[in-house]
Amino acid sequence: MSLLPVPPQKGQIEQLIDGLSHLPTYSIGRKTDNDMVIPNGKVSGEHARLIQCTATHFVLEDLVSKNGTFVNDMRITRKIVDKQDKIRLADTEYTLDELLDLLPGKSAKAVEANPVAPAVAAQKAEKPTLDFRAEFAELKPVYEQYPKLRRDCRNREKMIRTGSIILSSVVGISAVLTTGGGGLPFLQIMSGAGLSMLIPTLCSTLLSTDEKLELIDQEYRERYRCPNPACRDPFGTREWELLAQQKTCRRCQAVWVS
């Protein structure tokens, strides 16, 4: 007789979320004990730090450097940045990728951008052109979770409870918990569950409420779009159910619902 997975004990998901909310933080400066060393006399010994919020979004914070930290030519004290931004430390310019390249053994330290990308790519290669039914269905939890996360992000304990409710409903979560699954399987599950991959970040004490709200808005705008990569028409505040009744994208004719 096969044994059914034992339901996760009370507080187990909360403990996982709490553990994952300790965001990777990298120091930047001229001193050799920094995570990212910049051998430039105009760069301060401890110039700035980079906090990894998601696979694509970071918080860049100036550490009262003498010659400043700039994003897109504007001097900043602290700002959310992504791979589209131009970063300047004193007189030295970098893209975000170029900064991350300064990390020793970066592949081991940095979070993978998309741990399930090979499987997704294989599925897309096999499916008919303009058939985006599966991808469109995955946008429903994005739409549903967005207002919940915005509402609860001001309170860390409430956010953890919200995350527990969302993640408990994901198929397979109890198997990961009861088999002692590590962080990567847990993140893989979250990556397919709407905006739930943001929950550990939103529980972090390293970010302000305004920064958390900005991250939620940016991720929502980036993900809640036509799933056809050649289109990416933003849905804005349009209800998922009404889009489903529409069945296809009026711009690119991608099929959302049969």
Side-chain angles (χ1 to χ4, degrees), residues 26-27 32 34-37 99-110:
Y26 309 113
S27 59
T32 56
N34 283 290
D35 297 306
M36 303 173 183
V37 178
L99 264 183
L100 294 174
D101 283 340
L102 299 177
L103 281 172
K106 64 166 187 169
S107 59
K109 294 177 71 175

Side-chain angles (χ1 to χ4, degrees), residues 90-159:
D91 61 353
T92 307
E93 288 191 356
Y94 293 92
T95 65
L96 186 55
D97 282 335
E98 287 169 343
L99 264 183
L100 294 174
D101 283 340
L102 299 177
L103 281 172
K106 64 166 187 169
S107 59
K109 294 177 71 175
V111 176
E112 289 188 36
N114 189 352
V116 294
V120 172
Q123 291 174 2
K124 288 183 177 179
E126 295 173 358
K127 72 176 186 179
T129 305
L130 296 182
D131 180 359
F132 290 92
R133 291 173 294 176
E135 293 87 346
F136 179 77
E138 291 175 357
L139 296 181
K140 184 176 183 181
V142 172
Y143 176 77
E144 292 175 340
Q145 291 168 15
Y146 174 62
K148 295 185 178 72
L149 296 183
R150 274 195 124 264
R151 182 190 64 224
D152 292 343
C153 81
R154 297 180 183 276
N155 184 306
R156 186 173 186 269
E157 295 305 314
K158 188 178 290 186
M159 175 56 65

Side-chain angles (χ1 to χ4, degrees), residues 5-248:
V6 179
Q9 296 179 358
K10 184 178 180 180
Q12 202 169 9
I13 298 179
E14 288 92 331
Q15 291 174 8
L16 271 175
I17 294 171
D18 192 53
L20 288 168
S21 69
H22 301 289
L23 303 179
T25 302
Y26 309 113
S27 59
I28 309 170
R30 191 179 68 254
K31 291 182 179 179
T32 56
D33 59 352
N34 283 290
D35 297 306
M36 303 173 183
V37 178
I38 302 176
N40 180 336
K42 293 186 178 180
V43 172
S44 298
E46 297 174 353
H47 194 102
R49 70 169 178 166
L50 200 61
I51 303 171
Q52 183 165 12
C53 303
T54 70
T56 56
H57 290 96
F58 293 70
V59 168
L60 179 64
E61 181 180 18
D62 182 77
L63 299 180
V64 199
S65 64
K66 181 179 179 180
N67 293 311
T69 300
F70 301 80
V71 176
N72 301 325
D73 296 322
M74 296 289 292
R75 188 164 186 167
I76 59 100
T77 54
R78 186 174 165 109
K79 182 174 176 55
I80 293 176
V81 296
D82 61 28
K83 296 187 178 183
Q84 309 302 317
D85 291 312
K86 181 177 66 175
I87 296 167
R88 177 158 54 90
L89 307 170
D91 61 353
T92 307
E93 288 191 356
Y94 293 92
T95 65
L96 186 55
D97 282 335
E98 287 169 343
L99 264 183
L100 294 174
D101 283 340
L102 299 177
L103 281 172
K106 64 166 187 169
S107 59
K109 294 177 71 175
V111 176
E112 289 188 36
N114 189 352
V116 294
V120 172
Q123 291 174 2
K124 288 183 177 179
E126 295 173 358
K127 72 176 186 179
T129 305
L130 296 182
D131 180 359
F132 290 92
R133 291 173 294 176
E135 293 87 346
F136 179 77
E138 291 175 357
L139 296 181
K140 184 176 183 181
V142 172
Y143 176 77
E144 292 175 340
Q145 291 168 15
Y146 174 62
K148 295 185 178 72
L149 296 183
R150 274 195 124 264
R151 182 190 64 224
D152 292 343
C153 81
R154 297 180 183 276
N155 184 306
R156 186 173 186 269
E157 295 305 314
K158 188 178 290 186
M159 175 56 65
I160 289 176
R161 289 196 297 272
T162 299
S164 300
I165 293 170
I166 291 173
L167 296 175
S168 294
S169 66
V170 179
V171 175
I173 188 67
S174 61
V176 173
L177 293 171
T178 56
T179 56
L184 182 57
F186 188 67
L187 290 171
Q188 285 178 328
I189 285 176
M190 290 197 293
S191 71
L195 297 174
S196 56
M197 89 291 289
L198 284 176
I199 289 169
T201 296
L202 300 179
C203 292
S204 174
T205 58
L206 293 177
L207 305 178
S208 69
T209 297
D210 286 343
E211 287 169 339
K212 293 175 182 181
L213 289 169
E214 184 177 344
L215 282 168
I216 294 171
D217 289 345
Q218 288 189 15
E219 288 288 336
Y220 174 78
R221 289 194 298 267
E222 176 62 25
R223 298 191 62 187
Y224 196 57
R225 296 169 172 263
C226 175
N228 181 359
C231 177
R232 302 289 290 150
D233 187 32
F235 293 155
T237 58
R238 285 180 283 175
E239 296 180 13
W240 185 90
E241 289 78 5
L242 294 179
L243 292 166
Q245 293 175 15
Q246 184 178 310
K247 295 188 177 181
T248 61

